[in-house]
Amino acid sequence: MVVRSSGLLASLFLLAYIHYTQPCRPFDFKKILEPKTCTKPPEIQENSMNNLTLQPGQKAKFVCLIDHSCLVSLIHWYHITPDNLTHTRIKTAKSPGDPHVHTIERVTFEDEGTYSCVAENVIGRTEVFAYLTINTSYSPSSTWKVVFTSLIISKYLVLRYGVFI
């Protein structure tokens, strides 16, 4: 009875561990539990990263679907400026959130450039790229009207404020 109980606990632990390490991917337990000899770098699903063209203030989301069957040891995200002079690591697998997804809540002109997702194992490295374009034709005056109002509070104090309409 004790052996059966510990075997059940070990199986539950294995399932919980697999779910914890890959919570956002549908997977086949049989495929994961079968021994596999890795002879190549990690695979990243084709077309998982798409180029984006957004207006300032919109949300950008890049997704990098990595096959974890060959024990991926490293996931990094990089941003490369449009002039290719600055190459900055912006996220690692230890960063908060899903390591397969990089999100920018409100894009600015400084966010424009190339984003790359890098996955490594002991065999090698795979990298995919996507370009974020910030639409330069965007102008706050074309979408918003600002009305300025002055309120005289006293002889020496004037409150001036703007309201977006």
Side-chain angles (χ1 to χ4, degrees):
M1 183 71 172
V2 174
V3 174
R4 182 178 278 168
S5 173
S6 68
L8 177 62
L9 288 175
S11 298
L12 288 175
F13 173 76
L14 179 62
L15 290 176
Y17 176 76
I18 290 171
H19 180 71
Y20 177 74
T21 58
Q22 298 180 358
C24 56
R25 305 284 166 261
F27 50 85
D28 180 9
F29 285 111
K30 186 177 179 183
K31 184 178 179 182
I32 291 174
L33 297 176
E34 290 176 359
K36 181 177 181 181
T37 303
C38 294
T39 58
K40 57 186 176 179
E43 292 182 18
I44 299 177
Q45 182 179 340
E46 289 184 40
N47 301 323
S48 66
M49 292 262 292
N50 296 313
N51 295 334
L52 299 174
T53 300
L54 301 173
Q55 301 288 344
Q58 288 185 306
K59 182 177 182 175
K61 184 176 182 179
F62 295 101
V63 179
C64 182
L65 299 176
I66 302 168
D67 178 7
H68 284 268
S69 62
C70 276
L71 298 176
V72 175
S73 59
L74 177 119
I75 301 172
H76 284 172
W77 287 86
Y78 294 92
H79 175 242
I80 305 162
T81 56
D83 57 10
N84 288 327
L85 294 178
T86 308
H87 190 101
T88 309
R89 184 172 64 195
I90 53 176
K91 186 174 180 176
T92 68
K94 292 182 180 181
S95 299
D98 185 353
H100 304 93
V101 178
H102 177 62
T103 304
I104 305 168
E105 291 299 326
R106 295 176 55 91
V107 298
T108 64
F109 291 108
E110 291 79 30
D111 295 319
E112 186 170 60
T114 303
Y115 288 81
S116 67
C117 171
V118 179
E120 288 185 20
N121 65 10
V122 294
I123 307 296
R125 167 187 179 129
T126 304
E127 189 168 7
V128 294
F129 301 91
Y131 195 85
L132 173 61
T133 302
I134 305 301
N135 194 341
T136 57
S137 65
Y138 174 79
S139 168
S141 60
S142 65
T143 15
W144 296 94
K145 181 179 177 185
V146 182
V147 176
F148 286 99
T149 304
S150 296
L151 178 63
I152 300 173
I153 296 177
S154 72
K155 184 177 176 181
Y156 302 104
L157 183 60
V158 176
L159 177 64
R160 184 175 170 125
Y161 59 92
V163 178
F164 290 100
I165 298 177

